[in-house]
Amino acid sequence: MISKISKIVLALTLVGSSTVFAQSIADAKKAIDAEQFQKAKSMLKNLTVTQGTKDENFFYLGWVYILQDYPDSAKTIFQKGIAVNPKSALNYAGLGAAAFLDKDKATATTNFNQAVSLAGKDSKPYLYVGRAYLLNDEDGKVPAADANAAINVLNKGKLVDKKDAEILVALGDALRTQSKNTDALGNYQAALEIDPKLAHAKVATGVIWKYANNFESSETEFKNALAIDPNYGPAYREWAETDVRWALSDPKMASVKIKQGADNYRKYLSLTDMSIESRLRYADFLLYAGDYKTLQTEAAALAGSANSNLKVYRYIAYAAYENKDYPAGLAAMNTWITKADPKRIITRDYVYQGRLQLANKQDSLGILTLRKALALDTSKVDVYPEIAKALYGQKKYVESGEAYATFIAKSNKATLNDYLSEGLSYYKGFTEQYFSTAKPKPVPDTTLLVKADSAFSYIQHKASAPVAIVALYQARVNDFKEPDRNTSKGLAKPYYEQYIQLQTAKTTTSDNDKLFLAEAYAYLGTYYEFKEKDDAKAAENYGKAREYDPTNKTAVAYFSRKTGGTKGK
């Protein structure tokens, strides 16, 4: 259903950017706020010629490039603004924003400080320094240090001009990224009291309700924004994204909301433009909506168009991975990572590159890349199971167990299957050491048995009912804990008995189950033969082992001993 979005949006006819030039900076700023970036650029380019002595014209043109993620172009424009006015606080804020996008925080801070020192009684430099700190946004979140820096400078700007509604909205945005929603709402409301026609504040309020899954309230705010300005595109964009979130949260509403989301995104594009940048925003929407099939098609079309943005290869890679087109995905991701400015690479790029390498059987590379992603962002804990699975496939069992254990410790999404994988990894790590033929033979690390047993015990404690396969591995682990496996103390006995009870209660028994049942009964036969000296029970259990698996070596050996070396019956 999500693909319906693309079918409607892709039907739009490409339109040229506006060539109508505004006569004032206010019109250009209004276009920027409405995300009509091509229109804003046309206006501002004209203003830098017709009003070439006004440094703010250069700043706002540079700011459009910042919003479109072209920091090098922005830097050039800001420097022109400073050439016009060496004390241009706004253009120093812009240079700081360009450096911030380039991940050069030292230079960014220097320029931000210069902007503030030159600001005087003008609150706008504070506003754009604050907004610049919020540029490092990934999936709606901003690192706490950056958000706090934004909040700090915006509060200073608020002291400069308490009636600057834009400062209050930006402060609300900064607080919202840290889930301080009550404080954010207070700032949005204060901004609206100053300027009741501030559509941005209404949309921002709707976004807060969206993330709270209060979709009805969210829609109300978007409608309120459009009542202020029927042509305010961001309201339709956020509304479209809210529709998708609503559809994914409530299957009963999915059909209606997907269609509504398509309509709203179509309106958004019709109110902005169909430039490469707008189509990239559409790609972001498809990524958010999970429509990877259309995303791959749209990104491939963008890659083949004139003046294409290298960023399209990121979208091709993401979509191709999700569509299981692994060779195409890896080729696209390698193009993006090798050709793009390293400062443009984000952690998620490395996550997808690692996944694509694993999918293309480049396991060692994939593990290294996923570890790189974790080094860059320790919150990406969901990649630990992927690393662990790849390590297990390479027979690096102990490392695999450690990766699963780290995931379990750091994530709130760990399942009982993750505990099972952890336990199996540690168990396999021990048995590999135990049966090693290397010279000198390694001393088996018995702490691996303890870790495995702990994982298996957790499963049995948390599961709604005992799990047969877990009981089997608990038995095996405890059998290895025996000082001498030929003179069993019965450490594994209760677990093998539990396994037998669980398996024999089933209506059907698979071939593997039969082999494992034979293993369990053979263990019990050994226990009764050597520990309890109860030959009747030993014979009974060995007999059952032989019934399930006539080739079971322990049972065969027992009956061979009893018949003097001839085949038992």
Side-chain angles (χ1 to χ4, degrees):
M1 290 182 290
I2 289 174
S3 65
K4 292 179 181 178
I5 297 169
S6 59
K7 293 178 181 178
I8 295 174
V9 175
L10 287 176
L12 290 172
T13 303
L14 294 180
V15 294
S17 62
S18 172
T19 58
V20 179
F21 296 127
Q23 297 303 307
S24 72
I25 198 71
D27 289 334
K29 289 174 64 176
K30 184 177 179 181
I32 294 171
D33 183 50
E35 298 181 11
Q36 297 170 338
F37 297 133
Q38 294 302 105
K39 179 179 179 180
K41 279 197 290 189
S42 295
M43 293 177 177
L44 290 162
K45 285 178 180 178
N46 183 61
L47 286 170
T48 58
V49 174
T50 60
Q51 301 176 13
T53 60
K54 292 187 175 181
D55 58 283
E56 66 175 343
N57 293 333
F58 292 93
F59 168 73
Y60 286 108
L61 177 58
W63 190 253
V64 174
Y65 284 111
I66 288 291
L67 296 177
Q68 292 186 318
D69 200 23
Y70 295 118
D72 291 339
S73 298
K75 182 179 178 180
T76 300
I77 301 298
F78 294 138
Q79 287 170 336
K80 289 181 180 179
I82 290 172
V84 168
N85 177 9
K87 294 185 177 181
S88 176
L90 276 174
N91 280 289
Y92 276 109
L95 284 177
F100 192 81
L101 276 181
D102 280 339
K103 301 179 182 178
D104 182 356
K105 292 198 173 183
T107 301
T109 300
T110 298
N111 283 297
F112 290 154
N113 290 341
Q114 181 73 343
V116 169
S117 70
L118 293 170
K121 295 183 179 180
D122 183 3
S123 61
K124 294 308 178 191
Y126 293 91
L127 169 65
Y128 284 97
V129 170
R131 285 180 173 173
Y133 276 119
L134 302 179
L135 292 171
N136 189 12
D137 175 356
E138 187 171 344
D139 297 329
K141 293 293 182 182
V142 171
D146 296 335
N148 289 334
I151 292 167
N152 181 53
V153 74
L154 290 166
N155 276 321
K156 290 179 180 178
K158 187 176 173 181
L159 293 175
V160 171
D161 184 355
K162 295 181 180 180
K163 295 296 184 181
D164 189 336
E166 289 184 298
I167 287 273
L168 294 171
V169 172
L171 188 54
D173 291 345
L175 291 163
R176 189 184 74 207
T177 69
Q178 304 306 297
S179 299
K180 297 177 180 179
N181 293 334
T182 300
D183 292 338
L185 284 169
N187 279 280
Y188 294 145
Q189 187 57 44
L192 286 165
E193 289 173 3
I194 295 170
D195 182 0
K197 293 187 177 300
L198 203 58
H200 185 156
K202 289 291 184 182
V203 171
T205 303
V207 172
I208 286 182
W209 295 128
K210 175 181 76 172
Y211 285 117
N213 288 345
N214 186 343
F215 303 118
E216 292 87 351
S217 294
S218 189
E219 279 191 347
T220 297
E221 295 300 333
F222 300 142
K223 290 176 182 177
N224 289 339
L226 292 168
I228 294 170
D229 181 358
N231 295 320
Y232 192 64
Y236 285 110
R237 176 177 53 74
E238 290 291 356
W239 195 350
E241 293 179 3
T242 299
D243 287 328
V244 172
R245 185 179 177 95
W246 195 340
L248 296 175
S249 301
D250 185 355
K252 293 179 181 178
M253 297 294 291
S255 179
V256 171
K257 290 303 167 184
I258 288 299
K259 182 181 183 303
Q260 185 171 299
D263 291 341
N264 284 325
Y265 209 88
R266 178 167 59 89
K267 289 175 183 175
Y268 167 70
L269 286 177
S270 71
L271 290 168
T272 52
D273 55 57
M274 281 295 287
S275 64
I276 292 291
E277 290 75 25
S278 289
R279 293 174 72 186
L280 286 174
R281 291 199 297 276
Y282 172 49
D284 282 326
F285 176 71
L286 292 172
L287 183 63
Y288 174 73
D291 186 1
Y292 299 110
K293 182 177 180 180
T294 304
L295 175 59
Q296 188 171 356
T297 301
E298 172 69 359
L302 280 170
S305 64
N307 301 317
S308 178
N309 187 310
L310 193 63
K311 191 177 178 181
V312 301
Y313 289 101
R314 168 188 283 163
Y315 296 112
I316 293 173
Y318 288 8
Y321 172 78
E322 300 294 346
N323 293 330
K324 298 183 170 30
D325 187 1
Y326 302 129
L330 185 58
M333 184 55 79
N334 288 342
T335 297
W336 167 244
I337 286 182
T338 58
K339 292 187 177 181
D341 185 331
K343 297 166 186 174
R344 304 275 74 77
I345 308 302
I346 61 176
T347 305
R348 187 165 55 179
D349 294 336
Y350 291 116
V351 171
Y352 269 95
Q353 185 184 37
R355 288 170 174 170
L356 285 161
Q357 287 166 337
L358 292 177
N360 281 281
K361 309 301 181 184
Q362 298 177 11
D363 289 358
S364 295
L365 275 176
I367 292 168
L368 286 173
T369 304
L370 290 177
R371 288 194 186 281
K372 182 176 184 177
L374 277 169
L376 291 170
D377 185 351
T378 56
S379 70
K380 300 290 186 184
V381 294
D382 287 352
V383 305
Y384 276 110
E386 298 174 69
I387 293 172
K389 184 178 179 181
L391 289 167
Y392 193 93
Q394 292 185 324
K395 297 185 178 181
K396 296 178 180 178
Y397 301 118
V398 177
E399 289 182 58
S400 175
E402 290 170 350
Y404 279 119
T406 302
F407 173 67
I408 289 167
K410 293 187 174 184
S411 173
N412 58 4
K413 299 179 182 178
T415 67
L416 294 184
N417 278 334
D418 295 314
Y419 282 91
L420 178 60
S421 296
E422 178 196 11
L424 290 174
S425 297
Y426 283 133
Y427 173 77
K428 290 282 286 185
F430 176 84
T431 58
E432 185 179 50
Q433 295 173 4
Y434 187 90
F435 294 111
S436 174
T437 58
K439 294 183 180 180
K441 183 175 180 177
V443 177
D445 181 1
T446 56
T447 64
L448 299 176
L449 292 177
V450 175
K451 292 177 180 179
D453 199 20
S454 176
F456 296 140
S457 296
Y458 181 87
I459 296 170
Q460 297 293 55
H461 177 68
K462 291 293 184 178
S464 58
V467 182
I469 193 65
V470 175
L472 176 66
Y473 275 99
Q474 285 181 295
R476 290 173 175 176
V477 164
N478 280 279
D479 192 23
F480 274 115
K481 290 181 180 179
E482 298 281 3
D484 183 346
R485 296 184 72 202
N486 291 321
T487 56
S488 173
K489 291 185 177 181
L491 298 181
K493 181 174 179 286
Y495 302 105
Y496 273 126
E497 288 175 335
Q498 184 182 42
Y499 177 76
I500 290 170
Q501 179 185 10
L502 294 170
Q503 286 292 21
T504 54
K506 294 181 178 179
T507 55
T508 59
T509 306
S510 69
D511 290 340
N512 277 339
D513 292 340
K514 291 177 181 178
L515 293 177
F516 297 152
L517 281 166
E519 172 190 330
Y521 279 117
Y523 171 88
L524 292 175
T526 302
Y527 173 81
Y528 284 113
E529 181 182 8
F530 295 103
K531 179 70 171 65
E532 296 296 327
K533 309 299 183 183
D534 187 334
D535 195 56
K537 285 191 175 181
E540 177 187 355
N541 281 284
Y542 281 130
K544 289 181 179 179
R546 188 170 60 175
E547 287 176 18
Y548 281 109
D549 178 15
T551 65
N552 181 277
K553 292 181 180 180
T554 305
V556 168
Y558 170 79
F559 287 110
S560 179
R561 291 194 301 274
K562 288 299 180 180
T563 57
T566 61
K567 186 177 180 180
K569 295 184 180 180

